[in-house]
Amino acid sequence: MLEPERLAALRAQFAQSYGDPPPTLLARAPGRVNLIGEHTDYNGLPVFPMALQRNVAYLVRPRADARVRLVNREARYGAREFEIERAIPPFEQGDWGNYVKAAAQMLATRFPLRRGFDAAVDGNVPLAAGLSSSSATLVGALLALMRINQVELPLPELQELAAQAERYVGVAGGGMDQAISLGGRAGHALVIDFHPVRMQPTPMPGDWRFVVANTLVMAEKSGAAREAYNARTRECREALARFLAHPSAAGLPTSYYGLVHGVPLEGLLTLAGQALEGELQKRFRHVVSEGARVEEARLAMLRGDARAFGRLMDASHRSLREDYEVSSSELDQLVAIAREAGALGARLSGAGFGGCSVALCLEREAPRVVEALARRYYAARPAFSGEALFIAEASDGARVVEL
Ligand code: NG1
């Protein structure tokens, strides 16, 4: 369940930090790459991610009291400690310990949480890269605390709760990252709808490869990109309100979900042209067209039609760049390199403003795409560590096991 060397290193760190007795639980939660359906989740529209082979792992020894102690294998994340209580004050903004506090706070609000833990933590999800390392950190802590305190919840409820928990760090996010980290399935990508969470696992055709490439530009959601992200969520709400207030929208469904499912896209875009202008028109256009693309993409994957899936990814990227304005020159460059090297489609993945791109290619083209990205993007960037460019493997969701 964890690579043997990683587990051994984590055990050694645990022993060094806390001594005996040894840890008894291992919780691990994967990051994710979103294939299509970007900036849709907080608008009540579906997403289409897969859980990654990269994860955050907690080696845990339950405590008899309500204290939580954390050490991280990554030196820049210092040791943290806190007490589980009714209102848990956050560490400084951007502190990694806040994702653990977020999990504890959410559970403590709903359940009598008597026991904390001592844990050694290790992650190999690239940070601030749009691959959801933050949600993986939160979900791992959540599962460990639930197991120790004997809290059990049905999966959809847990997915909803984990999404709410992350608001503790001040991001008005959707529920995609937590839902896929908890619900991922090996060999599948999942269409996920929200309120309530519903999942449609879709088998990944055997010869499809998704190549993930990190711009190496950090999109720190707890920091600089946070304002831009939260601004988009406000703009989407305002665009919908103004759209619905316009006379030509009279009698139409009143949510993005209702509009995408109840009105043909062409008609919706024409109406948006009448009812909205400027930025709000562009944001609205992205949200409804992206919502419609997710269902088309699901059908394309079911048919094994990689070309159609690739075209949808290209359209998604254009829309994110031009209408949603969350791309960057580095993301555009990675997308262009992948396409020129034979990928069938490519786009930014995650919130944007830096982070990663994802490209679809057939197995036989994958080495060429990877080689082109390494040569044309990373050769000039010394920060490249081999970690930045990889082929995604659709993996299982978070688990906690007794050792
Ligand atoms: P990133 O920044 O890629 O982890 C964020 C949100 C998602 C979703 C995407 C955009 C959080 C935790 N994550 O993901 O819910 O809205 O942006 O599609 O808020």
Side-chain angles (χ1 to χ4, degrees):
M1 114 152 239
L2 205 64
E3 303 84 334
E5 325 77 67
R6 257 180 96 197
L7 185 56
L10 212 45
R11 276 187 191 282
Q13 188 177 18
F14 190 100
Q16 196 193 0
S17 307
Y18 306 119
D20 276 340
T24 56
L25 291 177
L26 177 67
R28 63 138 193 76
R32 60 100 183 98
V33 61
N34 190 22
L35 305 181
I36 197 160
E38 215 64 83
H39 291 279
T40 45
D41 57 355
Y42 53 81
N43 291 307
L45 287 167
V47 294
F48 198 2
M50 64 195 234
L52 289 174
Q53 68 270 35
R54 310 264 181 120
N55 54 48
V56 173
Y58 286 76
L59 197 56
V60 172
R61 181 176 67 196
R63 293 177 64 98
D65 62 13
R67 192 131 197 97
V68 172
R69 296 197 294 169
L70 304 159
V71 290
N72 198 310
R73 279 199 62 215
E74 180 81 50
R76 71 185 133 146
Y77 297 127
R80 296 287 180 270
E81 280 197 51
F82 66 93
E83 197 73 18
I84 303 173
E85 49 200 346
R86 257 181 186 283
I88 305 171
F91 295 118
E92 238 174 67
Q93 189 184 315
D95 193 289
W96 77 278
N98 279 337
Y99 291 99
V100 182
K101 283 190 166 182
Q105 176 68 78
M106 175 46 85
L107 287 171
T109 318
R110 303 265 303 261
F111 306 95
L113 218 55
R114 299 210 167 77
R115 305 181 65 190
F117 58 64
D118 295 330
V121 184
D122 176 45
N124 61 6
V125 187
L127 293 166
L131 299 177
S132 197
S133 60
S134 56
S135 299
T137 309
L138 186 151
V139 165
L142 192 64
L143 289 191
L145 283 170
M146 285 174 68
R147 174 67 66 94
I148 292 168
N149 289 280
Q150 293 168 334
V151 175
E152 282 178 25
L153 286 170
L155 182 57
E157 220 175 294
L158 182 55
Q159 288 167 314
E160 177 61 34
L161 190 113
Q164 285 172 23
E166 195 151 337
R167 301 196 181 130
Y168 180 88
V169 298
V171 182
M176 160 165 64
D177 304 353
Q178 304 81 3
I180 185 69
S181 185
L182 284 159
R185 191 186 293 183
H188 294 70
L190 280 82
V191 170
I192 304 176
D193 272 281
F194 301 93
H195 320 302
V197 177
R198 287 151 287 154
M199 304 194 293
Q200 298 182 74
T202 310
M204 184 75 69
D207 60 344
W208 289 24
R209 294 291 178 273
F210 285 98
V211 179
V212 176
N214 190 340
T215 56
L216 305 173
V217 177
M218 304 275 268
E220 200 84 63
K221 238 194 350 321
S222 53
R226 165 177 148 161
E227 253 323 294
Y229 182 91
N230 288 348
R232 293 294 181 285
T233 67
R234 284 196 301 275
E235 288 161 6
C236 289
R237 275 200 303 276
E238 198 184 330
L240 179 63
R242 292 227 189 152
F243 176 85
L244 293 172
H246 195 269
S248 57
L252 292 184
T254 56
S255 64
Y256 280 116
Y257 185 90
L259 290 170
V260 168
H261 288 84
V263 185
L265 186 60
E266 279 307 308
L268 209 47
L269 295 178
T270 308
L271 284 179
Q274 295 160 5
L276 298 170
E277 51 192 32
E279 249 169 33
L280 292 187
Q281 185 189 108
K282 295 206 287 183
R283 306 296 187 252
F284 185 94
R285 196 156 61 201
H286 168 73
V287 172
V288 295
S289 64
E290 186 77 354
R293 278 189 285 273
V294 171
E295 179 56 12
E296 284 187 59
R298 186 181 74 86
L299 296 174
M301 189 178 280
L302 281 174
R303 295 196 304 275
D305 187 346
R307 285 184 188 282
F309 199 100
R311 277 194 299 274
L312 291 161
M313 292 175 78
D314 287 345
S316 169
H317 187 72
R318 263 197 308 280
S319 178
L320 286 160
R321 188 182 61 214
E322 282 153 31
D323 282 347
Y324 219 64
E325 299 178 282
V326 293
S327 191
S328 65
S329 59
E330 291 87 356
L331 283 164
D332 292 344
Q333 202 185 335
L334 286 173
V335 163
I337 295 170
R339 290 292 277 114
E340 284 162 27
L344 297 171
R347 54 185 290 278
L348 73 85
S349 180
F353 318 108
C356 285
S357 67
V358 59
L360 169 61
C361 44
L362 294 177
E363 187 180 7
R364 60 173 184 275
E365 309 288 354
R368 200 141 56 95
V369 172
V370 169
E371 185 278 324
L373 287 163
R375 180 168 43 79
R376 292 181 54 192
Y377 191 83
Y378 294 107
R381 288 172 171 81
F384 173 47
S385 67
E387 287 285 286
L389 177 61
F390 64 97
I391 295 182
E393 285 164 34
S395 304
D396 277 328
R399 300 282 185 275
V400 48
V401 292
E402 317 271 336
L403 293 169

